[in-house]
Amino acid sequence: EGIATLGEFDIIHAHDWLTFRAALRAKEISGKPLIAHVHATEFDRAGGKAGNPLVHEIEYMGLVIADKIIAVSQLTKNVIANEYDIPEDKIDVVHNSIDTSIYNELDPHNAYAYLERMKKHGYRVVANVGRLTVQKGLYNLLLAAKDVVARAPKTIFLIVGSGEQYLELLQLSADLGIAKNVIFTDFQRGKNLRDAFAIADLFVMPSVSEPFGLTPLEAIGYGTPALVSKQSGVAEIITNCLKVDFWDVQEMANQIHAVVTSDALRDELHTQSFAEFMKLSWDATAHKLVGAYTQHAQLVGAK
């Protein structure tokens, strides 16, 4: 309440459910338009299920009362319309982007020295970076990994991240008989994170429901082509990457196998995707948001 009465402002811009209650109170006090920016819904976080009913209720109230909703992808817009019963004309799609200038030259000495040595012996690396949660689809990735390893034994899967599924996934890799081909690194940042993207021959994001998904773009920036689930927002803006339904384990395995057994395919995929990557910019995103601000500020001024 204090912030809402501190001074003059034209728009309230709230990001996801954690800020919605404060934004609704600010709108009540000030009467200013509310733009609800949705980066992920509880439906996404719960892997396509209802999730926490309290969070769902907060999201619903924020989305109903907001004057405009910004969704980070068409996929997210569809979820908001279908799962929260919000009119489509109230929702604008503004895709996320990435700052391509931060992808400078990598340290020539990769942090994953073991993997570097193995690659010299003909091994290929498939990486995933993210939270180990049901939303991210790692269970299906490991099922696909079993098939890939059976056909291409010199394939190593690098799983970077932490989360509540860690022990489950660790046990699954053992149960599938591929424990020696799967490396779990836990959470990483800085050089170790950058080098995980760079050491891979293919980056895979098999998410069950991913509103956007920046990690494939990071992978491309660091020199690695990507395979993404069709149930992701990033699949809408990158043409030159492999795409698969998160549930189609066999096709996922086929596409991974194709890349780890063909360096030429790997390199061509990256060349084409990197050309797209370099055209990305936050400028277009910012202009769309400013347009939404201007439109609603003018509506208030006209009243």
Side-chain angles (χ1 to χ4, degrees):
E1 294 186 15
I3 294 175
T5 57
L6 278 178
E8 288 296 317
F9 58 91
D10 300 302
I11 298 287
I12 302 161
H13 188 166
H15 297 266
D16 283 347
W17 75 274
L18 288 168
T19 68
F20 280 3
R21 285 179 293 180
L24 291 171
R25 181 63 176 142
K27 178 177 173 62
E28 180 184 4
I29 293 169
S30 66
K32 301 294 185 180
L34 168 60
I35 295 178
H37 202 144
V38 181
H39 301 265
T41 69
E42 185 64 6
F43 179 84
D44 301 303
R45 288 183 291 269
K49 297 180 175 61
N52 187 318
L54 175 60
V55 174
H56 190 281
E57 181 65 19
I58 293 170
E59 287 178 334
Y60 177 72
M61 290 299 297
L63 296 171
V64 167
I65 296 174
D67 297 274
K68 172 62 70 176
I69 299 167
I70 304 294
V72 295
S73 63
Q74 182 64 43
L75 177 79
T76 304
K77 176 175 178 175
N78 294 344
V79 169
I80 294 169
N82 296 332
E83 300 300 326
Y84 296 80
D85 200 26
I86 303 296
E88 291 192 17
D89 60 5
K90 186 177 178 177
I91 312 165
D92 287 349
V93 174
V94 181
H95 288 102
N96 285 335
S97 191
I98 202 160
D99 184 359
T100 58
S101 67
I102 69 173
Y103 294 89
N104 300 317
E105 291 186 15
L106 291 156
D107 184 336
H109 301 290
N110 193 283
Y112 301 88
Y114 167 74
L115 292 179
E116 282 194 321
R117 289 196 298 272
M118 297 302 282
K119 290 184 75 168
K120 289 178 181 177
H121 290 286
Y123 280 78
R124 293 296 176 259
V125 177
V126 177
N128 171 270
V129 173
R131 291 179 291 112
L132 308 185
T133 67
V134 65
Q135 176 190 357
K136 302 300 181 179
L138 278 301
Y139 191 95
N140 283 355
L141 176 58
L142 289 183
L143 294 181
K146 179 182 179 180
D147 184 271
V148 173
V149 170
R151 291 190 275 168
K154 287 188 171 184
T155 306
I156 297 173
F157 287 79
L158 180 67
I159 310 297
V160 179
S162 60
E164 66 268 18
Q165 277 196 313
Y166 170 68
L167 292 178
E168 177 187 350
L169 296 171
L170 192 67
Q171 183 64 54
L172 178 62
S173 67
D175 293 343
L176 294 173
I178 57 171
K180 64 185 178 64
N181 293 79
V182 183
I183 297 174
F184 292 89
T185 71
D186 206 348
F187 177 80
Q188 301 294 326
R189 59 162 58 93
K191 174 178 169 56
N192 285 1
L193 179 61
R194 294 191 297 271
D195 286 357
F197 287 116
I199 196 68
D201 295 278
L202 178 67
F203 180 85
V204 181
M205 186 187 75
S207 299
V208 174
S209 183
E210 189 70 54
F212 190 76
L214 281 173
T215 51
L217 298 183
E218 294 180 271
I220 293 167
Y222 287 122
T224 301
L227 165 61
V228 304
S229 74
K230 294 178 182 178
Q231 292 71 33
S232 66
V234 71
E236 298 169 15
I237 67 166
I238 293 292
T239 303
N240 291 287
C241 70
L242 300 175
K243 299 172 187 179
V244 67
D245 288 305
F246 79 88
W247 46 262
D248 196 341
V249 172
Q250 187 58 60
E251 182 59 20
M252 191 184 303
N254 290 342
Q255 294 197 32
I256 294 171
H257 180 262
V259 175
V260 298
T261 56
S262 174
D263 291 352
L265 174 60
R266 175 198 65 194
D267 295 344
E268 182 63 18
L269 274 172
H270 182 257
T271 297
Q272 298 301 325
S273 61
F274 189 75
E276 287 188 278
F277 170 87
M278 291 304 294
K279 295 177 183 177
L280 296 175
S281 169
W282 280 109
D283 290 347
T285 300
H287 286 311
K288 290 179 181 178
L289 289 176
V290 170
Y293 291 162
T294 302
Q295 175 190 359
H296 285 279
Q298 289 173 342
L299 288 175
V300 171
K303 290 180 180 178

